[in-house]
Amino acid sequence: MKDAAPQPTLLADYTPYPFRIGGVDLTFRLAPKSTRVIARIDFAPNPDRPGRHDLRLHGEGLKLMSAKIDGRKVKPARDAEGLTVAAAALPEGAFTWEAEVEIAPARNTALEGLYMSNGMYCTQCEAEGFRKITFYPDRPDVMAPFRVRIESDLPVLLSNGNPVAQGEGWAEWHDPWPKPSYLFALVAGDLAAVSDSFTTRSGREVALNIWVRAGDEDRCAYAMDSLKRAMKWDEDVYGREYDLDVFNIVAVDDFNMGAMENKGLNIFNSRLVLASPETATDGDFERIESVIAHEYFHNWTGNRITCRDWFQLCLKEGLTVFRDQQFSAHMRSAAVKRIEDVLTLRARQFREDMGPLAHPVRPDRYIEINNFYTATVYEKGAEVIRMLKLLVGDEGYRKALDLYFERHDGQAATIEDWLKVFEDATGRDLAQFNRWYTDAGTPRLSVRETWQDGTYTLTFAQHTPPTPGQDEKPPRVIPIAVGLINPNGDEVVPTTLLEMTEAEQSFRFEGLASRPVPSILRGFSAPVVLERQADAAERAFLLAHDTDPFNRWEAGRALARDVLTGLIAEERAPAGEYVEALGRMLTDEGLDPAFRALCLRLPSEDDLAQALHDAGLTPDPDRIHAGREGLATQIARQLQKPLAAIFAQMETPPPYRPDAGPAGRRALRLACLGLLNRTDHGTRAAALFAQADNMTESAAALACLIDGGRGAREIGAFYERWQGNRLVIDKWFALQVAHAAPEMAAQVAARLSEHPDFEWKNPNRFRALLGALAANHAGFHHISGAAYRFYVDWLIRLDPVNPQTTARMTTAFETWTRYDGDRKSMIRAELERLAATPELSRDSFEMVSRILGADG
Ligand SMILES: [Zn+2]
């Protein structure tokens, strides 16, 4: 596919499509190797693009059998990306395009367009997959109602919208809501439904179905319950109601992404639908709840109002992630959810923003749009909306959202449209705020404090380091939530929102009796790095007294990080104060168990590598691993008694329930187990593995056994028990690699890659093994270079089969420049080997080039 270097697409080049579409009629005659797609599309000139224009349609890998305009045969000019009918050959005014093409879903391993998974047909069209189904203006600003007829022997035939008619071997669907082609979906298979219903607040009766393979019906209850709660929540909180008679969800085993919000027919990776206590962990249940909600929420933020072009991807994703975060916070503990979201943001988005792949929330160029489904667009996109809400207040936010839905329903919108509704609804000027969308990089916020005659002054300075293609960054609006606490532990200034707009800016607090301890960036009010040195005593004080749960956790986190980086960089271990503070927090029964579990979790090895890099040091993966292990063992020894007591106390009685309460108790109990396991020779883990009646405990116990270099028998038993269950066997692969000792990780991964169950063309299985290897920080970066080689060998093998997944997995190397010379030269050699692969996909080519471009 790579002849010359592929050309980028630029935001600045946008022009409206010269035609509008009145309606689309599609007929599918399904056959694995020769599916016929017959399309009939009504075009009319677009008044926004006056003049005569060629008809340009996207299309890739399609065999064109016939093409007609207004019933007359035409011969369009073909190229690798589509076809063109010259303006001169088109009628003036409206016309009808008809085409018949042939495609081979059974040979589609890229899982984009129409493909097959275990004998079932399904589609994935976002971002540009529809052009692999038929010739079409495959861009989000072309919206049309669709009518679809499916012909097949398979019993279940689904598409978007409402069912119209069906008979032996065929079914017809009609979607009245105009939509872009990326929201098209079709499913045909031998599937079983789990059904329920929902009555909207205006009284519309909606049939809900979750379609799975026969035998999986008993693992859909939680997904269905989550869907009904999400539908109700969107009515209550956003006033948004569902707009079709039926809502279908289909679970698919072979899927590149998590899930897809196709109008009325969501398609899900089966790992985000199927769950039972025996097969899914608490984390899986939580994720299912949030992704089911996310895809449902897209019905308004994404489907009814879509994106004008792919540069506006954050318009639908940032907003919908923000909405699903709000939903989870309402369903569970808001404090715990916020901490989890920030952990993810820092682990994925900060890492991206500080490396060669940094890009703005709204990028202005791309080669392959699939490479921009990133943590920056999704997670930082959500943070930007969270800040906007803080700045305009809850009421202003709701007013702006109401205006957004009213003004843009049925349209393909932009970030400018989005900000304009906030300006119009609240009267606020958002010109400076817009920089959060246009400028890449994570701002650094430093702070100075002065105390004089009862006046306490905080002076902040902001600075954003350069990112690829962007050197100069003007100051941004940063909402800084601050509270002040007296030395006796009382809060003297409750949470106050400071709006920083200058490069340097001071804020005064007057009339205070004594110098306060500041709690800055409460609730993580902005996605910035707060550079503030504090001593261990102050951090321990905040860990004990801060009224803001996020900052309370943050204080403990900073303590742990300071101890660990000291331990790793200088081999000194003043951990006493930290472990004591941790002990007090651990035994504080007034605190939510889930919160205590988060406090017990040490920063990851990758977090520590970043922290050392930020401090101007070269991170050594071996020393990071040893330092973190050493501190964990010290905690285990020093807190042995309370850990053992809480391990016993937090046992959850049967039956298993996945909701926040019992899940939090299990999280705390298993966090204690992870530490106790370092001194009890695996006795507790082995006992728990033997008696566990749920996957949360079973998988955690197995991980502990592998951590301790034990568990050979249990690994075998786990496999025997779950051999037929793909999702559980994914865990079996991942656990062994993720928890392997660093010097063994590459070997373990290599051995498992020869296992007959390593079905590497399945993205979940591939990620279970290779993703776990990349996540084993010390193992992946082992100085032998064996893991780098093994990893790239597999990327080279996967690329021709599935470019999208391959390209994504190159991000394992996005932090490569922070390591030492030996590791850097090994990684560079591997990346260059990948880049030099003949016929490398456009997806992987773009990613490797960007990552390699980082070397300074
Ligand atoms: Zn989404």
Side-chain angles (χ1 to χ4, degrees), residues 72 90 105 190 252 297 333 434 463 514 522 549 610 625 667 691 693 715 723 737 795 812 815 845:
R72 287 207 338 269
L90 295 173
D190 190 354
V252 179
F297 295 156
S333 150
N434 186 39
H463 151 76
S514 52
R522 282 186 158 179
Q610 188 61 44
H625 182 72
Q691 73 185 40
D693 67 350
I715 290 170
Q723 205 172 350
V737 180
L795 292 187
T815 55
F845 171 81

Side-chain angles (χ1 to χ4, degrees), residues 109-112 255-256 760-763 767 795 797-808 841 843-844:
T109 59
L111 315 183
E112 219 184 1
F255 204 67
N256 280 335
W760 60 276
K761 291 181 185 174
N762 173 273
R767 271 192 224 105
L795 292 187
R797 190 158 171 194
L798 185 67
D799 186 68
V801 170
N802 187 332
Q804 203 176 325
T805 295
T806 309
R808 261 171 211 216
S841 67
D843 307 54
S844 300

Side-chain angles (χ1 to χ4, degrees), residues 305 315 319 400-409 413 418 421:
I305 303 179
L315 181 72
L319 177 54
L401 267 284
D402 286 347
L403 181 59
Y404 179 62
F405 293 124
E406 185 193 311
R407 187 182 281 175
H408 294 292
D409 187 12
W418 165 252
V421 297

Side-chain angles (χ1 to χ4, degrees), residues 261 294-295 298 316-317 378:
E261 70 263 22
H294 177 97
E295 305 308 334
H298 268 313
K316 76 176 178 79
E317 293 306 341
Y378 279 65

